[in-house]
Amino acid sequence: MNQYNYQDQFEQTYQAQPQQPPQQPQQLAGQFAQRFQLLAGNIERIIRGKHDAIELALICLFSEGHLLVEDVPGTGKTTLARSLAASVDAEWRRIQFTPDLLPSDITGVSIFNQAHQKFEFHQGPVFANIVLADEINRASPKTQAALLEVMEERRVTVDAEPHPVPRPFLVVATQNPVDMDGTYPLPEAQLDRFLMKISVGYPDHASEVEVLKGMPTGPQVERLPVVARASDVAGMIDFASRIHVADPVYDYIVALCGATRTSPHLRLGASPRGSLALLRAARVKAAAAGRHFVVPEDVKALAVPVLAHRLILTPEAELREVTAAVALGEILAGMPVPQAA
């Protein structure tokens, strides 16, 4: 691909807003990066040695996406979500998914008020800034589907009446890849609603030693200081959505997602929703690095967590034990990256 300056046309983009001085976007990017790292450092007081997972969770928050954390029990999936919620002065709720959970237990229900002779809507736990859906695959498909509308449209419809959820809004769902008895795998339509799917993984030796030394007197989730307000998060989301993206980066994202649709390893590639998700996440990653423009390396770094769970392998690839991440890695390795001028 041709060389390109990824800052080209950036000045024109912001000159359309005369109230902003020319230097302000770069200054705001620096402020964004500082607060992003402050949040990450606060969470790392609880989740040791997992900087990458924490960074991806925060990218989901500022991309207005949702996060699916899949890992074996005891690796800190729930603690990661709780630490994120504790670091932000925002309302959060936890929903423990079980086979007998009903959709109304999530969204809420209309109850007839005899005094006023009318139905009144009582909000469910989904009406919060951060919602932890713990062990989401243990609930029935009907209950899982109760999250589909709110995750995509940021509203809940009950008795034909829409009810918006607060902003920011983030669903952090967890599930275990083992102990699958009595579970309901998430359908592709619901997996596609998650911006990212990540794995926390076991800590390294040194980090696990620190965890042991810190118990029971070490940092606890309940004692984490609040380092950001909900209004701060909303402002950071708005800024990240205006990060400049050069035309070659747009082309690179579309070409990457298009290649997943023709790969011999994949039966189903990434949809346009995947392209949009990758773009939103790349903008946040650029801002977290203190830049006011996206570079192709931002896209490459996020391609696997954003796209891999949206891909469906062919039976032949499954027999050869090819994973979606491996197939995506081959695509990334064979695709030319636009070079900066």
Side-chain angles (χ1 to χ4, degrees), residues 91-96 101-108 122-132 147 165-166 169:
E91 189 174 5
W92 84 285
R93 293 286 185 272
R94 175 177 176 170
I95 308 172
Q96 185 64 52
L101 191 72
L102 298 175
S104 58
D105 295 331
I106 298 174
T107 60
H122 291 252
Q123 295 182 349
V126 77
F127 286 88
N129 298 110
I130 300 176
V131 178
L132 170 58
L147 286 172
V165 294
F169 177 70

PDB file of all heavy atoms in Angstrom, residues 91-96 101-108 122-132 147 165-166 169:
ATOM      1  N   GLU A  91     -22.910   3.395  38.963  1.00  0.00           N
ATOM      2  CA  GLU A  91     -23.767   2.343  39.497  1.00  0.00           C
ATOM      3  C   GLU A  91     -23.439   1.012  38.813  1.00  0.00           C
ATOM      4  O   GLU A  91     -23.265   0.959  37.596  1.00  0.00           O
ATOM      5  CB  GLU A  91     -25.235   2.691  39.261  1.00  0.00           C
ATOM      6  CG  GLU A  91     -26.209   1.760  39.970  1.00  0.00           C
ATOM      7  CD  GLU A  91     -27.650   2.217  39.837  1.00  0.00           C
ATOM      8  OE1 GLU A  91     -27.897   3.205  39.118  1.00  0.00           O
ATOM      9  OE2 GLU A  91     -28.523   1.584  40.452  1.00  0.00           O
ATOM     10  N   TRP A  92     -23.345  -0.050  39.602  1.00  0.00           N
ATOM     11  CA  TRP A  92     -23.078  -1.355  39.024  1.00  0.00           C
ATOM     12  C   TRP A  92     -23.950  -2.396  39.694  1.00  0.00           C
ATOM     13  O   TRP A  92     -24.382  -2.253  40.832  1.00  0.00           O
ATOM     14  CB  TRP A  92     -21.597  -1.704  39.131  1.00  0.00           C
ATOM     15  CG  TRP A  92     -21.151  -2.309  40.425  1.00  0.00           C
ATOM     16  CD1 TRP A  92     -20.964  -1.679  41.608  1.00  0.00           C
ATOM     17  CD2 TRP A  92     -20.865  -3.697  40.658  1.00  0.00           C
ATOM     18  NE1 TRP A  92     -20.563  -2.556  42.568  1.00  0.00           N
ATOM     19  CE2 TRP A  92     -20.491  -3.807  42.014  1.00  0.00           C
ATOM     20  CE3 TRP A  92     -20.878  -4.831  39.848  1.00  0.00           C
ATOM     21  CZ2 TRP A  92     -20.142  -5.023  42.591  1.00  0.00           C
ATOM     22  CZ3 TRP A  92     -20.523  -6.041  40.425  1.00  0.00           C
ATOM     23  CH2 TRP A  92     -20.160  -6.127  41.774  1.00  0.00           C
ATOM     24  N   ARG A  93     -24.249  -3.458  38.944  1.00  0.00           N
ATOM     25  CA  ARG A  93     -25.089  -4.544  39.435  1.00  0.00           C
ATOM     26  C   ARG A  93     -24.485  -5.866  38.997  1.00  0.00           C
ATOM     27  O   ARG A  93     -23.856  -5.961  37.948  1.00  0.00           O
ATOM     28  CB  ARG A  93     -26.518  -4.443  38.878  1.00  0.00           C
ATOM     29  CG  ARG A  93     -27.296  -3.236  39.375  1.00  0.00           C
ATOM     30  CD  ARG A  93     -27.737  -3.404  40.820  1.00  0.00           C
ATOM     31  NE  ARG A  93     -28.588  -2.310  41.261  1.00  0.00           N
ATOM     32  CZ  ARG A  93     -28.133  -1.171  41.788  1.00  0.00           C
ATOM     33  NH1 ARG A  93     -26.827  -0.990  41.917  1.00  0.00           N
ATOM     34  NH2 ARG A  93     -28.961  -0.227  42.157  1.00  0.00           N
ATOM     35  N   ARG A  94     -24.698  -6.879  39.802  1.00  0.00           N
ATOM     36  CA  ARG A  94     -24.248  -8.225  39.473  1.00  0.00           C
ATOM     37  C   ARG A  94     -25.455  -9.126  39.316  1.00  0.00           C
ATOM     38  O   ARG A  94     -26.357  -9.136  40.171  1.00  0.00           O
ATOM     39  CB  ARG A  94     -23.328  -8.760  40.566  1.00  0.00           C
ATOM     40  CG  ARG A  94     -22.918 -10.217  40.351  1.00  0.00           C
ATOM     41  CD  ARG A  94     -21.954 -10.671  41.413  1.00  0.00           C
ATOM     42  NE  ARG A  94     -21.617 -12.082  41.271  1.00  0.00           N
ATOM     43  CZ  ARG A  94     -20.656 -12.681  41.953  1.00  0.00           C
ATOM     44  NH1 ARG A  94     -19.946 -11.995  42.823  1.00  0.00           N
ATOM     45  NH2 ARG A  94     -20.409 -13.968  41.763  1.00  0.00           N
ATOM     46  N   ILE A  95     -25.479  -9.884  38.220  1.00  0.00           N
ATOM     47  CA  ILE A  95     -26.551 -10.849  37.964  1.00  0.00           C
ATOM     48  C   ILE A  95     -25.912 -12.229  37.903  1.00  0.00           C
ATOM     49  O   ILE A  95     -25.069 -12.489  37.044  1.00  0.00           O
ATOM     50  CB  ILE A  95     -27.290 -10.548  36.644  1.00  0.00           C
ATOM     51  CG1 ILE A  95     -27.753  -9.088  36.589  1.00  0.00           C
ATOM     52  CG2 ILE A  95     -28.474 -11.495  36.469  1.00  0.00           C
ATOM     53  CD1 ILE A  95     -28.318  -8.684  35.247  1.00  0.00           C
ATOM     54  N   GLN A  96     -26.297 -13.094  38.804  1.00  0.00           N
ATOM     55  CA  GLN A  96     -25.794 -14.462  38.789  1.00  0.00           C
ATOM     56  C   GLN A  96     -26.719 -15.299  37.912  1.00  0.00           C
ATOM     57  O   GLN A  96     -27.874 -15.535  38.259  1.00  0.00           O
ATOM     58  CB  GLN A  96     -25.755 -15.046  40.209  1.00  0.00           C
ATOM     59  CG  GLN A  96     -25.127 -16.429  40.290  1.00  0.00           C
ATOM     60  CD  GLN A  96     -23.660 -16.426  39.908  1.00  0.00           C
ATOM     61  OE1 GLN A  96     -22.876 -15.647  40.427  1.00  0.00           O
ATOM     62  NE2 GLN A  96     -23.274 -17.306  38.982  1.00  0.00           N
ATOM     63  N   LEU A 101     -33.239 -18.544  36.081  1.00  0.00           N
ATOM     64  CA  LEU A 101     -33.335 -17.094  35.926  1.00  0.00           C
ATOM     65  C   LEU A 101     -34.277 -16.755  34.777  1.00  0.00           C
ATOM     66  O   LEU A 101     -34.212 -17.350  33.699  1.00  0.00           O
ATOM     67  CB  LEU A 101     -31.951 -16.510  35.654  1.00  0.00           C
ATOM     68  CG  LEU A 101     -31.826 -14.989  35.725  1.00  0.00           C
ATOM     69  CD1 LEU A 101     -31.905 -14.506  37.164  1.00  0.00           C
ATOM     70  CD2 LEU A 101     -30.498 -14.538  35.097  1.00  0.00           C
ATOM     71  N   LEU A 102     -35.156 -15.788  34.997  1.00  0.00           N
ATOM     72  CA  LEU A 102     -36.138 -15.381  33.992  1.00  0.00           C
ATOM     73  C   LEU A 102     -35.717 -14.076  33.332  1.00  0.00           C
ATOM     74  O   LEU A 102     -34.988 -13.267  33.932  1.00  0.00           O
ATOM     75  CB  LEU A 102     -37.515 -15.210  34.631  1.00  0.00           C
ATOM     76  CG  LEU A 102     -38.138 -16.452  35.271  1.00  0.00           C
ATOM     77  CD1 LEU A 102     -39.447 -16.084  35.963  1.00  0.00           C
ATOM     78  CD2 LEU A 102     -38.362 -17.539  34.240  1.00  0.00           C
ATOM     79  N   PRO A 103     -36.183 -13.819  32.099  1.00  0.00           N
ATOM     80  CA  PRO A 103     -35.853 -12.546  31.451  1.00  0.00           C
ATOM     81  C   PRO A 103     -36.259 -11.334  32.276  1.00  0.00           C
ATOM     82  O   PRO A 103     -35.543 -10.339  32.322  1.00  0.00           O
ATOM     83  CB  PRO A 103     -36.629 -12.619  30.129  1.00  0.00           C
ATOM     84  CG  PRO A 103     -36.759 -14.084  29.848  1.00  0.00           C
ATOM     85  CD  PRO A 103     -36.907 -14.731  31.187  1.00  0.00           C
ATOM     86  N   SER A 104     -37.422 -11.402  32.930  1.00  0.00           N
ATOM     87  CA  SER A 104     -37.877 -10.275  33.742  1.00  0.00           C
ATOM     88  C   SER A 104     -36.991 -10.036  34.954  1.00  0.00           C
ATOM     89  O   SER A 104     -36.965  -8.933  35.503  1.00  0.00           O
ATOM     90  CB  SER A 104     -39.324 -10.497  34.200  1.00  0.00           C
ATOM     91  OG  SER A 104     -39.438 -11.703  34.932  1.00  0.00           O
ATOM     92  N   ASP A 105     -36.253 -11.071  35.381  1.00  0.00           N
ATOM     93  CA  ASP A 105     -35.304 -10.886  36.480  1.00  0.00           C
ATOM     94  C   ASP A 105     -34.143 -10.001  36.068  1.00  0.00           C
ATOM     95  O   ASP A 105     -33.418  -9.477  36.926  1.00  0.00           O
ATOM     96  CB  ASP A 105     -34.758 -12.243  36.944  1.00  0.00           C
ATOM     97  CG  ASP A 105     -35.825 -13.134  37.543  1.00  0.00           C
ATOM     98  OD1 ASP A 105     -36.792 -12.581  38.108  1.00  0.00           O
ATOM     99  OD2 ASP A 105     -35.699 -14.368  37.447  1.00  0.00           O
ATOM    100  N   ILE A 106     -33.958  -9.826  34.765  1.00  0.00           N
ATOM    101  CA  ILE A 106     -32.871  -8.997  34.245  1.00  0.00           C
ATOM    102  C   ILE A 106     -33.386  -7.614  33.844  1.00  0.00           C
ATOM    103  O   ILE A 106     -32.836  -6.588  34.239  1.00  0.00           O
ATOM    104  CB  ILE A 106     -32.213  -9.677  33.029  1.00  0.00           C
ATOM    105  CG1 ILE A 106     -31.601 -11.019  33.432  1.00  0.00           C
ATOM    106  CG2 ILE A 106     -31.174  -8.764  32.393  1.00  0.00           C
ATOM    107  CD1 ILE A 106     -31.068 -11.816  32.276  1.00  0.00           C
ATOM    108  N   THR A 107     -34.453  -7.595  33.060  1.00  0.00           N
ATOM    109  CA  THR A 107     -34.923  -6.334  32.489  1.00  0.00           C
ATOM    110  C   THR A 107     -35.830  -5.551  33.419  1.00  0.00           C
ATOM    111  O   THR A 107     -35.883  -4.322  33.358  1.00  0.00           O
ATOM    112  CB  THR A 107     -35.682  -6.596  31.182  1.00  0.00           C
ATOM    113  OG1 THR A 107     -36.807  -7.455  31.460  1.00  0.00           O
ATOM    114  CG2 THR A 107     -34.781  -7.281  30.163  1.00  0.00           C
ATOM    115  N   GLY A 108     -36.575  -6.240  34.268  1.00  0.00           N
ATOM    116  CA  GLY A 108     -37.573  -5.591  35.098  1.00  0.00           C
ATOM    117  C   GLY A 108     -38.973  -6.011  34.686  1.00  0.00           C
ATOM    118  O   GLY A 108     -39.156  -6.773  33.727  1.00  0.00           O
ATOM    119  N   HIS A 122     -40.916  -1.410  37.050  1.00  0.00           N
ATOM    120  CA  HIS A 122     -39.875  -1.539  38.065  1.00  0.00           C
ATOM    121  C   HIS A 122     -38.605  -2.053  37.393  1.00  0.00           C
ATOM    122  O   HIS A 122     -38.584  -3.161  36.855  1.00  0.00           O
ATOM    123  CB  HIS A 122     -40.334  -2.484  39.181  1.00  0.00           C
ATOM    124  CG  HIS A 122     -41.444  -1.936  40.018  1.00  0.00           C
ATOM    125  ND1 HIS A 122     -41.264  -1.516  41.321  1.00  0.00           N
ATOM    126  CD2 HIS A 122     -42.752  -1.719  39.728  1.00  0.00           C
ATOM    127  CE1 HIS A 122     -42.420  -1.075  41.804  1.00  0.00           C
ATOM    128  NE2 HIS A 122     -43.333  -1.188  40.855  1.00  0.00           N
ATOM    129  N   GLN A 123     -37.579  -1.239  37.413  1.00  0.00           N
ATOM    130  CA  GLN A 123     -36.349  -1.555  36.690  1.00  0.00           C
ATOM    131  C   GLN A 123     -35.660  -2.782  37.261  1.00  0.00           C
ATOM    132  O   GLN A 123     -35.639  -3.008  38.471  1.00  0.00           O
ATOM    133  CB  GLN A 123     -35.392  -0.366  36.736  1.00  0.00           C
ATOM    134  CG  GLN A 123     -35.887   0.862  36.008  1.00  0.00           C
ATOM    135  CD  GLN A 123     -34.879   1.994  36.055  1.00  0.00           C
ATOM    136  OE1 GLN A 123     -33.894   1.940  36.793  1.00  0.00           O
ATOM    137  NE2 GLN A 123     -35.113   3.027  35.259  1.00  0.00           N
ATOM    138  N   GLY A 124     -35.072  -3.573  36.350  1.00  0.00           N
ATOM    139  CA  GLY A 124     -34.275  -4.720  36.747  1.00  0.00           C
ATOM    140  C   GLY A 124     -32.820  -4.329  36.927  1.00  0.00           C
ATOM    141  O   GLY A 124     -32.435  -3.162  36.719  1.00  0.00           O
ATOM    142  N   PRO A 125     -31.969  -5.267  37.279  1.00  0.00           N
ATOM    143  CA  PRO A 125     -30.558  -4.957  37.535  1.00  0.00           C
ATOM    144  C   PRO A 125     -29.770  -4.527  36.307  1.00  0.00           C
ATOM    145  O   PRO A 125     -28.647  -4.047  36.447  1.00  0.00           O
ATOM    146  CB  PRO A 125     -30.019  -6.271  38.108  1.00  0.00           C
ATOM    147  CG  PRO A 125     -30.949  -7.325  37.606  1.00  0.00           C
ATOM    148  CD  PRO A 125     -32.295  -6.677  37.543  1.00  0.00           C
ATOM    149  N   VAL A 126     -30.344  -4.675  35.110  1.00  0.00           N
ATOM    150  CA  VAL A 126     -29.617  -4.262  33.915  1.00  0.00           C
ATOM    151  C   VAL A 126     -29.534  -2.736  33.816  1.00  0.00           C
ATOM    152  O   VAL A 126     -28.729  -2.204  33.060  1.00  0.00           O
ATOM    153  CB  VAL A 126     -30.285  -4.852  32.645  1.00  0.00           C
ATOM    154  CG1 VAL A 126     -31.551  -4.080  32.282  1.00  0.00           C
ATOM    155  CG2 VAL A 126     -29.315  -4.876  31.477  1.00  0.00           C
ATOM    156  N   PHE A 127     -30.327  -2.024  34.601  1.00  0.00           N
ATOM    157  CA  PHE A 127     -30.307  -0.565  34.571  1.00  0.00           C
ATOM    158  C   PHE A 127     -29.195  -0.054  35.490  1.00  0.00           C
ATOM    159  O   PHE A 127     -29.421   0.410  36.609  1.00  0.00           O
ATOM    160  CB  PHE A 127     -31.667   0.011  34.970  1.00  0.00           C
ATOM    161  CG  PHE A 127     -32.710  -0.144  33.913  1.00  0.00           C
ATOM    162  CD1 PHE A 127     -33.484  -1.288  33.854  1.00  0.00           C
ATOM    163  CD2 PHE A 127     -32.920   0.832  32.956  1.00  0.00           C
ATOM    164  CE1 PHE A 127     -34.449  -1.451  32.874  1.00  0.00           C
ATOM    165  CE2 PHE A 127     -33.883   0.682  31.966  1.00  0.00           C
ATOM    166  CZ  PHE A 127     -34.641  -0.467  31.919  1.00  0.00           C
ATOM    167  N   ALA A 128     -27.981  -0.176  35.022  1.00  0.00           N
ATOM    168  CA  ALA A 128     -26.795   0.266  35.746  1.00  0.00           C
ATOM    169  C   ALA A 128     -25.730   0.628  34.725  1.00  0.00           C
ATOM    170  O   ALA A 128     -25.851   0.319  33.537  1.00  0.00           O
ATOM    171  CB  ALA A 128     -26.302  -0.825  36.693  1.00  0.00           C
ATOM    172  N   ASN A 129     -24.678   1.299  35.178  1.00  0.00           N
ATOM    173  CA  ASN A 129     -23.591   1.664  34.270  1.00  0.00           C
ATOM    174  C   ASN A 129     -22.730   0.459  33.908  1.00  0.00           C
ATOM    175  O   ASN A 129     -22.315   0.308  32.762  1.00  0.00           O
ATOM    176  CB  ASN A 129     -22.716   2.747  34.886  1.00  0.00           C
ATOM    177  CG  ASN A 129     -23.460   4.042  35.147  1.00  0.00           C
ATOM    178  OD1 ASN A 129     -23.708   4.395  36.289  1.00  0.00           O
ATOM    179  ND2 ASN A 129     -23.827   4.742  34.098  1.00  0.00           N
ATOM    180  N   ILE A 130     -22.449  -0.385  34.896  1.00  0.00           N
ATOM    181  CA  ILE A 130     -21.647  -1.585  34.675  1.00  0.00           C
ATOM    182  C   ILE A 130     -22.431  -2.781  35.199  1.00  0.00           C
ATOM    183  O   ILE A 130     -22.817  -2.817  36.367  1.00  0.00           O
ATOM    184  CB  ILE A 130     -20.281  -1.490  35.373  1.00  0.00           C
ATOM    185  CG1 ILE A 130     -19.497  -0.287  34.830  1.00  0.00           C
ATOM    186  CG2 ILE A 130     -19.478  -2.775  35.181  1.00  0.00           C
ATOM    187  CD1 ILE A 130     -18.174  -0.049  35.529  1.00  0.00           C
ATOM    188  N   VAL A 131     -22.693  -3.747  34.330  1.00  0.00           N
ATOM    189  CA  VAL A 131     -23.483  -4.927  34.680  1.00  0.00           C
ATOM    190  C   VAL A 131     -22.585  -6.149  34.559  1.00  0.00           C
ATOM    191  O   VAL A 131     -22.016  -6.405  33.486  1.00  0.00           O
ATOM    192  CB  VAL A 131     -24.719  -5.075  33.774  1.00  0.00           C
ATOM    193  CG1 VAL A 131     -25.504  -6.334  34.137  1.00  0.00           C
ATOM    194  CG2 VAL A 131     -25.610  -3.844  33.891  1.00  0.00           C
ATOM    195  N   LEU A 132     -22.451  -6.892  35.639  1.00  0.00           N
ATOM    196  CA  LEU A 132     -21.689  -8.131  35.630  1.00  0.00           C
ATOM    197  C   LEU A 132     -22.648  -9.304  35.450  1.00  0.00           C
ATOM    198  O   LEU A 132     -23.476  -9.579  36.315  1.00  0.00           O
ATOM    199  CB  LEU A 132     -20.898  -8.293  36.938  1.00  0.00           C
ATOM    200  CG  LEU A 132     -20.227  -9.646  37.174  1.00  0.00           C
ATOM    201  CD1 LEU A 132     -19.268  -9.978  36.041  1.00  0.00           C
ATOM    202  CD2 LEU A 132     -19.504  -9.667  38.513  1.00  0.00           C
ATOM    203  N   LEU A 147     -30.696  -9.958  27.012  1.00  0.00           N
ATOM    204  CA  LEU A 147     -29.616  -8.979  26.943  1.00  0.00           C
ATOM    205  C   LEU A 147     -29.356  -8.464  25.530  1.00  0.00           C
ATOM    206  O   LEU A 147     -28.630  -7.484  25.353  1.00  0.00           O
ATOM    207  CB  LEU A 147     -28.317  -9.593  27.478  1.00  0.00           C
ATOM    208  CG  LEU A 147     -28.213  -9.786  28.994  1.00  0.00           C
ATOM    209  CD1 LEU A 147     -26.957 -10.571  29.330  1.00  0.00           C
ATOM    210  CD2 LEU A 147     -28.197  -8.448  29.710  1.00  0.00           C
ATOM    211  N   VAL A 165     -31.123   2.784  29.186  1.00  0.00           N
ATOM    212  CA  VAL A 165     -30.230   2.524  30.309  1.00  0.00           C
ATOM    213  C   VAL A 165     -29.269   3.703  30.442  1.00  0.00           C
ATOM    214  O   VAL A 165     -29.107   4.490  29.503  1.00  0.00           O
ATOM    215  CB  VAL A 165     -29.443   1.203  30.106  1.00  0.00           C
ATOM    216  CG1 VAL A 165     -30.386   0.017  30.128  1.00  0.00           C
ATOM    217  CG2 VAL A 165     -28.651   1.228  28.804  1.00  0.00           C
ATOM    218  N   PRO A 166     -28.620   3.875  31.591  1.00  0.00           N
ATOM    219  CA  PRO A 166     -27.728   5.029  31.774  1.00  0.00           C
ATOM    220  C   PRO A 166     -26.469   4.919  30.935  1.00  0.00           C
ATOM    221  O   PRO A 166     -26.125   3.848  30.441  1.00  0.00           O
ATOM    222  CB  PRO A 166     -27.410   4.985  33.278  1.00  0.00           C
ATOM    223  CG  PRO A 166     -27.631   3.572  33.679  1.00  0.00           C
ATOM    224  CD  PRO A 166     -28.745   3.072  32.819  1.00  0.00           C
ATOM    225  N   PHE A 169     -22.547   2.508  29.621  1.00  0.00           N
ATOM    226  CA  PHE A 169     -23.183   1.222  29.868  1.00  0.00           C
ATOM    227  C   PHE A 169     -22.270   0.123  29.364  1.00  0.00           C
ATOM    228  O   PHE A 169     -21.882   0.112  28.196  1.00  0.00           O
ATOM    229  CB  PHE A 169     -24.542   1.142  29.169  1.00  0.00           C
ATOM    230  CG  PHE A 169     -25.226  -0.187  29.333  1.00  0.00           C
ATOM    231  CD1 PHE A 169     -25.725  -0.578  30.565  1.00  0.00           C
ATOM    232  CD2 PHE A 169     -25.375  -1.046  28.264  1.00  0.00           C
ATOM    233  CE1 PHE A 169     -26.351  -1.799  30.732  1.00  0.00           C
ATOM    234  CE2 PHE A 169     -26.004  -2.269  28.415  1.00  0.00           C
ATOM    235  CZ  PHE A 169     -26.497  -2.644  29.654  1.00  0.00           C
TER     236      PHE A 169
END
